[in-house]
């Protein structure tokens, strides 16, 4: 009998410890434990772009059929507005510009899920600083600290600010000392030819161009007959991010459904070539490039 009492005391003590441990841990949010039947997706569409809306609506219908879930499309006037809805948990996914995602990533539990590819299948952006092979400039600092004339393309939006990074200040404006040294060209090929051949009314000493405009760099550091001095950090493109509490497993399950749904090319109307799964770590270099808090 005394052995039975000892066992009973041990069981009761272990039960009390387990109960105390359970009380100390907050329960997971309900949405992380159940499969969502309706998925709310915020998409920034600026202006009357009917074709873009039709592309997204057709894509979400195809995704509904594949997933047996309802996808509700919510149009937003900007990526910033979409990011606010996502951070507040009012939508389950949002299509965001990279800087808007980085600003709220912690509030979404690092919810980056899908990379948005362009119609050429590219994701993200890099820029290359190039000089002639015989140039006296040995590195990026030589170019920036000299009076060298630099050719650029006009690139709009956040990518444009990132692209001009070596010449801009903390508010993204081209610094005064570079204003007179910058020459804008109509195409990348025009600027490459002007630099390589010494052609044009104003001689160029270097060019800063998007890598998408250039050939692959060879083992000698040459692109398009020019010597590469500097390659910018990789700037990720647009991202489909999930809200907090969705749960990583469910987030990537839904992401895989969206990847499959994009295979029928309906999103090309919206200028999108497809998606691929990504992790939040893709944005680490961009975080280092954005030391100033966004408003």
């Amino acid at each position: 009998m005394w052995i039975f009492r000892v066992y009973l005391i041990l069981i009761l003590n272990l039960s009390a410890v387990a109960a105390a441990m359970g009380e100390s841990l907050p329960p997971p949010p309900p949405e992380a434990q159940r499969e969502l039947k309706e998925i709310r997706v915020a998409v920034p569409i600026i202006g009357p772009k009917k074709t873009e809306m039709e592309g997204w609506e057709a894509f979400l219908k195809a995704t509904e059929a594949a997933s047996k879930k309802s996808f509700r499309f919510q149009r937003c006037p900007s990526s910033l507005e979409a990011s606010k809805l996502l951070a507040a948990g009012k939508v389950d996914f949002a299509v965001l510009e990279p800087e808007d995602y980085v600003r709220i990533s912690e509030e979404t539990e690092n919810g980056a899920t899908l990379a948005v590819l362009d119609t050429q299948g590219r994701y993200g952006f890099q820029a290359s600083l190039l000089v002639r092979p015989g140039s006296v400039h040995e590195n990026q600092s030589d170019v920036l600290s000299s009076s060298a004339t630099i050719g650029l393309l006009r690139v709009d939006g956040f990518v444009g600010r990132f692209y001009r990074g070596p010449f801009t200040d903390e508010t993204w404006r081209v610094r005064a000392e570079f204003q007179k040294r910058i020459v804008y060209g109509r195409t990348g090929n025009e600027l490459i030819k002007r630099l390589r051949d010494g052609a044009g009314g104003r001689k160029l000493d270097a060019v800063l161009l998007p890598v998408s405009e250039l050939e692959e760099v060879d083992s000698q550091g040459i692109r398009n007959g020019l010597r590469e001095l500097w390659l910018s950090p990789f700037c990720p493109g647009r991202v489909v991010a999930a809200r907090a509490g969705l749960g990583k497993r469910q987030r990537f399950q839904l992401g895989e459904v969206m990847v499959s749904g994009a295979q029928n090319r309906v999103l090309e109307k919206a200028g999108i070539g497809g998606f691929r799964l990504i992790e939040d770590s893709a944005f680490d270099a961009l975080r280092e490039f954005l030391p100033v808090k966004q408003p």
Side-chain angles (χ1 to χ4, degrees), residues 44-49 52 75-79:
I45 296 179
I46 302 166
K49 299 179 181 177
E52 190 171 339
R75 174 178 175 170
C76 295
S78 68
S79 169

Side-chain angles (χ1 to χ4, degrees), residues 131-266:
V131 296
R132 285 184 293 274
S135 171
V136 297
H137 303 300
E138 293 295 327
N139 52 51
Q140 175 197 6
S141 298
D142 286 348
V143 174
L144 299 182
S145 62
S146 70
S147 58
T149 301
I150 303 153
L152 293 115
L153 288 178
R154 292 193 183 278
V155 181
D156 296 327
F158 175 75
V159 162
R161 301 199 293 270
F162 179 90
Y163 159 62
R164 294 190 299 269
F167 312 113
T168 54
D169 61 20
E170 64 277 2
T171 59
W172 305 109
R173 297 183 182 277
V174 174
R175 297 200 291 270
E177 63 266 31
F178 290 111
Q179 292 282 2
K180 293 181 181 180
R181 293 170 50 189
I182 291 175
V183 174
Y184 288 100
R186 290 173 296 181
T187 67
N189 284 336
E190 174 199 327
L191 290 170
I192 290 168
K193 182 175 176 58
R194 284 182 62 176
L195 174 58
R196 197 170 51 203
D197 301 343
R202 188 176 176 190
K203 299 294 187 294
L204 298 180
D205 300 299
V207 292
L208 179 69
L209 293 174
V211 168
S212 59
E213 298 278 330
L214 304 167
E215 299 169 358
E216 290 293 323
V217 65
D218 68 17
S219 59
Q220 305 300 314
I222 301 295
R223 288 186 192 265
N224 298 76
L226 299 171
R227 182 159 54 91
E228 182 173 79
L229 298 186
W230 176 78
L231 183 66
S232 76
F234 181 75
C235 174
R238 286 189 294 171
V239 61
V240 179
R243 64 172 170 81
L246 197 59
K248 190 169 184 178
R249 178 185 60 81
Q250 185 169 207
R251 184 174 88 205
F252 279 97
Q253 282 179 342
L254 293 169
E256 287 174 342
V257 170
M258 291 186 192
V259 170
S260 300
Q263 300 305 313
N264 59 17
R265 297 182 178 276
V266 293

